[in-house]
Amino acid sequence: MHIARPLSGPKSIGPLLDEQGATDGGRVALLSVDGRSMSRAELAQYTRHVALHLARLGIVRADRVAVVAPNSVDMAVALLGVMRSAACAPLNPLYTQAEIEYFFADLQVRALVVTVGSPPLAREVAMRQGIPVIEVGAATYAAADRAAESDLPPAAEDDIALVLHTSGTTSRPKQVPLSHANLAASMANIAASLQLTPEDRALNVMPLFHIHGLLAGLLAPLASGASVVCPPSLQLPAFFDWLERFGVTWYSAVPTMHQAIVAVAPANGAPANGAPRLRFVRSSSAALAPSTLAQLEALFGCPVIEAYGMTEATHQMASNPLPPRARKPGSVGLPAGPEVAIIDADGNLLPAGTRGEIAIRGDNVMRAYHGNPDANRSAFTSGWFRTGDEGCFDADGYLSITGRLKEMINRGGEKITPREIDEALLAHPDVAQAVAFALPHPTLGEDVAAAVVPHEGRQVSAEALREFLFERLADFKVPSEVIVLSQIPKGPTGKVQRIGMAERLSAHRQHAFVEPRDAVEAILAQAWAEVLGIDAIGMDDNFFALGCDSLKAMRAVAGIEAMLPVELPATDIFRHPTVAGLAGRVRLMLGPDVIAELERLLDEVAPEVAAVQADRSLDEHAT
Ligand code: AMP
């Protein structure tokens, strides 16, 4: 049995991988769900090959190299290879062309690394801009096997390994440069909190372009000598099969993923012998409801460890401890790496039990935002980094998050800069004012909405504005609700304030209940009412306002496809989040003949349904 030891290896990615490749190089490092695996020696060799390829293109350490790919073993090789020779900037593969162009320019990207499975858009933008593109895949590995390659000088601890973007309070996303030393500190902190050993096998379902997936999902397990299964995403119920097939000992995810896992679990419950399948489950990036924590613990028969992370902290700041120490549902645990303090607006430290801003300092904390002196001035106070989260410590030293002082929207763990949505809306010729804000949501925690005022004498519909945004922003940033108003209500200070906007606009979000007007609307309404667990849905009611999330959207698609001869992409639900809107799409897919047949069938069954309902109501009166 391996005992977890504090990590003390090299403090930069290249030497770390080389050391792992040299000691016990035959051990598995990465696995894909189709059964392929890569040893530690291969991982060291292939990442070195990618790094040397970049060096031959003239890329130097300070250069930024973008990686745009879906999660996979190839993407992990691409990321680690880039970090060995330059500053790696992973970008969400779902970004629109406008977003890719923005990030390429903002980062001054010198090269793009993709994998065989990457969507073509980023590659096309790079080619148009004369940015060299490298593809990582089987051909890379074959070439690396043939090549006799020189060594690459290792990065210094202060060299930048990763550049990620984070939500900005008043402007576009800010650049967070993270050094090799930041990464090394964070890997050691995570490995220590979770007592990771080479015997562990992680399953990474978190996107590898986000700090949570990069550090907790990939780097901390690799640095501990453990192996990582790299599926393309969380797929249910396949997830349960992967746990079994690969002997997974833990996974880390956001609460919405845990909820989805719990929701499909009854048919895929714990192993028959009742033995815990996992050593622990980890949750981070958004608040985990104590009820979800309890359900997960019952399902897997293992502790659920909630942690608190942030891009600027190279992920982990606090974590609940493993048994025998107590974990506290609703708390993000004990400081787990950096020093954590609660400070007031002037930067004074506050005692336990007092609410204030959570501040951190330590080796895992970024040195500064890139090229943003204003943001740095307000983020750092006497050496402490202000997180923008509000919290307090209890008497046992456990931290709870009690609120948020920054304007970021946390949509089920996906962070959104409201200002970015405002700007995209203001680019519409009819829009005079726009304010994006967070709406409370039962499973996502928060959803995105926006209030819009058109220019005088102009009219604009919420649908048209959402269509406009889908062209400019990745789908997850597009507000589920756009509310068109003549004036945006002011907050208590007389200024337009995002915080509290949901309550101020609650009256505007109410609208009349509209009954189904044809067979298509009636069928869709039935499917949605079932999925959302409500008696009836109005034709203009917003699915997301009624609690829809991606899991429920998938279930609704399955329900609709079982009743109608259509193949509905889940994206249609996000683009048309009302029965009336979705019916428009579905009618186009069905065509007039099928619709006429549906109307006829509905007319036929209507009297029977009415009779059954009448019988039922008579029975109810009789009892
Ligand atoms: P990111 O930079 O995307 O990792 O987002 C960091 C932010 O996510 C933090 O500043 C918090 O607002 C939020 N966050 C992270 N972990 C938790 C948690 N366990 N509970 C509540 N919010 C969290």
Side-chain angles (χ1 to χ4, degrees):
M1 202 187 90
H2 285 267
I3 310 261
R5 289 207 191 87
L7 292 188
S8 58
K11 288 210 164 37
S12 91
I13 295 291
L16 176 78
L17 294 173
D18 287 342
E19 189 184 279
Q20 299 236 326
T23 54
D24 228 357
R27 275 178 81 92
V28 172
L30 301 174
L31 299 107
S32 62
V33 286
D34 64 11
R36 286 178 304 141
S37 69
M38 189 175 283
S39 70
R40 303 209 288 181
E42 286 168 329
L43 181 62
Q45 183 191 357
Y46 299 157
T47 53
R48 196 180 318 122
H49 185 78
V50 173
L52 285 165
H53 192 152
L54 288 167
R56 280 196 289 271
L57 288 174
I59 306 287
V60 296
R61 289 230 173 271
D63 286 336
R64 273 81 181 285
V65 175
V67 175
V68 183
N71 271 19
S72 56
V73 167
D74 293 344
M75 189 200 188
V77 173
L79 294 166
L80 296 167
V82 173
M83 283 185 231
R84 292 188 73 146
S85 66
C88 175
L91 298 177
N92 188 336
L94 297 177
Y95 279 152
T96 61
Q97 181 174 327
E99 288 167 318
I100 293 173
E101 284 168 353
Y102 168 79
F103 285 114
F104 277 11
D106 190 53
L107 291 159
Q108 298 187 309
V109 160
R110 286 286 322 276
L112 168 68
V113 179
V114 295
T115 63
V116 182
S118 293
L121 197 56
R123 221 185 280 236
E124 287 161 13
V125 172
M127 287 192 328
R128 264 199 304 280
Q129 299 187 353
I131 296 170
V133 180
I134 298 178
E135 186 180 274
V136 171
T140 320
Y141 311 144
D145 286 338
R146 284 194 306 270
E149 281 169 336
S150 52
D151 273 347
L152 197 73
E157 287 184 19
D158 283 345
D159 283 333
I160 299 305
L162 264 178
V163 185
L164 298 171
H165 279 83
T166 188
S167 339
T169 294
T170 53
S171 64
R172 286 296 190 111
K174 292 173 279 197
Q175 275 187 33
V176 181
L178 298 171
S179 66
H180 284 266
N182 289 148
L183 264 57
S186 183
M187 289 186 250
N189 295 340
I190 297 168
S193 300
L194 304 175
Q195 296 173 21
L196 298 180
T197 78
E199 298 293 288
D200 277 308
R201 175 155 292 174
L203 173 70
N204 177 50
V205 290
M206 285 302 298
L208 283 172
F209 55 79
H210 185 256
I211 196 73
H212 181 162
L214 277 164
L215 262 295
L218 181 68
L219 287 171
L222 282 182
S224 318
S227 49
V228 181
V229 186
C230 306
S233 59
L234 173 65
Q235 290 167 9
L236 292 164
F239 170 82
F240 291 93
D241 175 48
W242 299 335
L243 294 184
E244 204 75 53
R245 192 147 52 98
F246 295 105
V248 170
T249 61
W250 70 283
Y251 74 93
S252 186
V254 291
T256 40
M257 291 182 175
H258 293 307
Q259 284 160 359
I261 289 164
V262 166
V264 301
N268 302 277
N273 61 9
R277 180 182 270 166
L278 301 171
R279 194 158 70 78
F280 62 88
V281 166
R282 180 176 184 272
S283 182
S284 188
S285 298
L288 179 70
S291 56
T292 311
L293 182 147
Q295 286 168 319
L296 273 175
E297 292 204 343
L299 173 66
F300 290 118
C302 70
V304 171
I305 302 301
E306 179 168 8
Y308 168 45
M310 181 175 199
T311 308
E312 290 89 329
T314 327
H315 192 46
Q316 184 171 286
M317 298 177 275
S319 177
N320 275 280
L322 282 166
R325 296 174 75 190
R327 51 194 182 284
K328 293 196 183 183
S331 151
V332 294
L334 303 163
E339 286 179 82
V340 182
I342 303 295
I343 61 174
D344 67 13
D346 299 323
N348 303 308
L349 299 188
L350 298 173
T354 316
R355 284 186 186 192
E357 183 163 5
I358 303 173
I360 52 168
R361 64 180 180 199
D363 294 343
N364 58 320
V365 183
M366 67 157 189
R367 186 161 283 174
Y369 292 112
H370 176 78
N372 200 334
D374 288 348
N376 287 323
R377 250 191 307 280
S378 48
F380 289 94
T381 304
S382 325
W384 291 94
F385 172 75
R386 295 172 170 275
T387 61
D389 294 313
E390 188 208 63
C392 73
F393 279 110
D394 69 10
D396 302 325
Y398 283 68
L399 180 67
S400 291
I401 299 176
T402 53
R404 195 179 303 143
L405 305 162
K406 54 190 171 188
E407 285 186 334
M408 170 198 95
I409 300 173
N410 190 345
R411 189 176 184 279
E414 279 184 302
K415 310 304 176 336
I416 295 157
T417 311
R419 179 66 187 265
E420 203 182 336
I421 302 170
D422 298 354
E423 281 179 16
L425 280 164
L426 288 167
H428 191 284
D430 294 333
V431 173
Q433 284 179 56
V435 182
F437 60 94
L439 272 183
H441 186 281
T443 53
L444 294 169
E446 290 177 350
D447 199 359
V448 188
V452 163
V453 179
H455 282 298
E456 227 177 293
R458 304 276 185 83
Q459 287 210 327
V460 65
S461 73
E463 293 74 44
L465 288 174
R466 292 184 75 252
E467 278 300 315
F468 181 77
L469 291 182
F470 275 114
E471 296 303 313
R472 284 161 178 77
L473 300 173
D475 289 8
F476 72 91
K477 295 182 196 167
V478 175
S480 303
E481 285 186 59
V482 174
I483 304 151
V484 181
L485 300 159
S486 55
Q487 202 184 359
I488 294 180
K490 307 271 190 306
T493 59
K495 283 199 231 150
V496 169
Q497 276 182 339
R498 293 182 210 277
I499 294 168
M501 190 64 86
E503 296 92 80
R504 286 194 286 283
L505 286 181
S506 62
H508 293 269
R509 297 180 53 232
Q510 316 280 342
H511 47 248
F513 185 89
V514 178
E515 299 273 356
R517 289 156 292 206
D518 66 3
V520 174
E521 287 190 347
I523 292 169
L524 294 182
Q526 188 192 333
W528 275 102
E530 265 172 43
V531 165
L532 296 170
I534 52 178
D535 290 340
I537 181 168
M539 299 306 95
D540 299 326
D541 293 351
N542 187 296
F543 305 147
F544 296 95
L546 293 170
C548 181
D549 53 28
S550 45
L551 174 74
K552 290 189 181 125
M554 268 148 52
R555 277 204 245 135
V557 166
I560 294 164
E561 289 181 350
M563 289 193 274
L564 292 173
V566 288
E567 270 184 41
L568 202 62
T571 49
D572 272 351
I573 309 271
F574 294 93
R575 292 188 176 226
H576 309 282
T578 60
V579 173
L582 198 60
R585 283 284 301 144
V586 169
R587 281 190 208 102
L588 287 178
M589 292 177 190
L590 291 173
D593 294 347
V594 179
I595 295 177
E597 181 62 13
L598 285 174
E599 294 291 358
R600 199 184 58 72
L601 285 172
L602 206 71
D603 281 348
E604 259 178 41
V605 296
E608 286 169 34
V609 172
V612 170
Q613 280 172 348
D615 274 358
R616 225 185 261 153
S617 82
L618 279 177
D619 285 352
E620 275 163 17
H621 279 104
T623 48

